[in-house]
Amino acid sequence: AVVSTQSTGTQEITSSQMFIYIPVIHQAAPPAPTGDGVFLTPFDQQYVYSRALGGNTPDEARWTRYFKQLYRALEMDGITPDTSLFGITKYSRPYFGRQRFEVLYFAPVH
């Protein structure tokens, strides 16, 4: 699952949602949501760019540093991600030693 966050560009969080990728073979007829707060949101095809970081849960300064590093790396490759929508991923259970996190930016497929 990916938690994506929208911001105003000043790092002010305006909303947050959890997204789960539905494999291609199920996208034409995805399963119907079973909960009131669960819904399907289709997206245009896009690239997802990530930068991994490990260790314990990062503080705000560390998250910011990794987003800036990812943005600079993309900029050097001539890619301009949509900075109003970004995401994070976490690959291990909470409070269980060292973890793997990723910061994510998205860009449309042209």
Side-chain angles (χ1 to χ4, degrees):
V2 173
V3 175
S4 79
T5 305
Q6 289 189 317
S7 83
T8 61
T10 60
Q11 295 185 342
E12 175 189 353
I13 296 173
T14 58
S15 69
S16 193
Q17 296 176 322
M18 181 180 291
F19 292 94
I20 298 173
Y21 176 75
I22 297 176
V24 172
I25 62 171
H26 299 294
Q27 288 179 8
T34 58
D36 292 340
V38 179
F39 50 92
L40 297 175
T41 304
F43 287 93
D44 291 334
Q45 187 176 10
Q46 56 188 309
Y47 293 108
V48 179
Y49 298 98
S50 69
R51 181 171 184 87
L53 57 150
N56 297 317
T57 302
D59 60 15
E60 185 176 342
R62 189 163 174 227
W63 281 119
T64 300
R65 184 172 69 246
Y66 275 81
F67 273 110
K68 286 180 179 178
Q69 289 173 351
L70 176 57
Y71 186 88
R72 279 196 299 268
L74 293 171
E75 196 174 46
M76 289 171 58
D77 282 344
I79 298 165
T80 305
D82 176 4
T83 57
S84 69
L85 179 66
F86 55 93
I88 62 169
T89 58
K90 184 176 181 179
Y91 292 100
S92 53
R93 62 185 172 175
Y95 313 110
F96 189 71
R98 296 182 59 80
Q99 317 259 336
R100 178 186 167 98
F101 302 91
E102 292 181 10
V103 296
L104 308 169
Y105 277 130
F106 307 92
V109 174
H110 297 286

